[in-house]
Amino acid sequence: MPRLKQAGREAGNPFANRIFDLLFGDRDPIESPGTATGTPGNWWTVFNIVPDAFKHTTEGFQFYRSKERKLDPKLRELGQTRAGFTVGSQFVFSQHCKASRDVGLTEAQIDAIPHWQTADCYSPIERAVLAYTDELVLQRGRVSDGTFNALKQGLSDEEILELTYTTCTYMMHAIMSRALRLEYDDVDDRIVEVPAPGGDSADVMAMVDTDKKGEK
């Protein structure tokens, strides 16, 4: 379950209810969850506890999908999908693999997003977008001149701003999804102590110590 409460149609948010109709039909989004893409849909019901946040984030989706955007949707999706992968959000990565397919990226390109550095299925500008995404997300915006110059060779200033805004937005979405355990990110952290047989608690590296009795 998400870490925060949820709000469905009973919250009386007309804007959210229109989205719920599109996603869930006539079902209750909390009592009968499940969207066409297989997600529970609790991203929407959790955001609906703050109606202004629901509207703000939905308008953000409308912004990057608008026909007014100059950025090629394929490049946009490369940035969004790679951002989801690098943050470690199963939800963002999985959803945008599907969106990448919809805008025309090949299966080879989608499959190679986790290891794009060693893949030969990307054009120079696609590689520049992926490198830029890594420097935005993994290096927190510490973008090298070499990467930025490669972007400038293939994209206008307007396209670079759109790419930057959308990619950073999806870094935020990926982080929030993990933090609030939404959708496919409702998983336990696997980095935990694995108990030793019998419940022993000895220092596991003690065997390398050289100051034990009888040793010099």
Side-chain angles (χ1 to χ4, degrees), residues 2 4-9 20 24 28-30 40-50 54 182-183:
L4 300 180
K5 65 184 178 181
Q6 301 179 66
R9 300 181 199 277
F20 292 155
F24 304 99
D28 183 281
I30 299 175
N42 56 43
W43 172 277
W44 303 95
T45 52
V46 167
F47 265 80
N48 194 35
I49 69 175
V50 180
F54 187 105
L182 303 176
E183 307 288 359

Side-chain angles (χ1 to χ4, degrees), residues 152-171:
K152 291 278 286 185
Q153 289 178 21
L155 299 178
S156 67
D157 286 10
E158 291 83 359
E159 289 170 312
I160 293 173
L161 180 58
E162 290 177 3
L163 173 65
T164 306
Y165 181 82
T166 302
T167 301
C168 289
T169 297
Y170 267 80
M171 176 176 68

Side-chain angles (χ1 to χ4, degrees), residues 97-148:
C97 282
K98 298 174 179 64
S100 293
R101 197 171 289 117
D102 286 345
V103 299
L105 289 174
T106 67
E107 290 302 317
Q109 290 173 320
I110 296 168
D111 290 344
I113 287 173
H115 58 94
W116 71 266
Q117 300 92 334
T118 58
D120 60 5
C121 54
Y122 299 114
S123 69
I125 189 58
E126 289 167 342
R127 293 183 66 81
V129 165
L130 288 161
Y132 185 57
T133 297
D134 281 1
E135 292 176 17
L136 287 173
V137 179
L138 298 176
Q139 297 178 191
R140 303 297 188 268
R142 189 168 172 239
V143 176
S144 66
D145 287 342
T147 297
F148 206 81

Side-chain angles (χ1 to χ4, degrees), residues 35-106:
T35 70
T37 61
T39 67
N42 56 43
W43 172 277
W44 303 95
T45 52
V46 167
F47 265 80
N48 194 35
I49 69 175
V50 180
D52 287 350
F54 187 105
K55 187 172 188 291
H56 185 271
T57 195
T58 303
E59 288 175 343
F61 302 147
Q62 294 169 338
F63 166 82
Y64 81 74
R65 296 177 66 88
S66 168
K67 293 181 179 179
E68 298 300 314
R69 300 284 69 78
K70 298 181 182 299
L71 183 67
D72 184 336
K74 292 181 182 180
L75 300 180
R76 179 197 77 209
E77 290 298 331
L78 281 176
Q80 290 171 300
T81 311
R82 178 66 185 176
F85 180 82
T86 55
V87 170
S89 169
Q90 180 74 25
F91 175 53
V92 171
F93 178 72
S94 177
Q95 292 298 87
H96 283 275
C97 282
K98 298 174 179 64
S100 293
R101 197 171 289 117
D102 286 345
V103 299
L105 289 174
T106 67

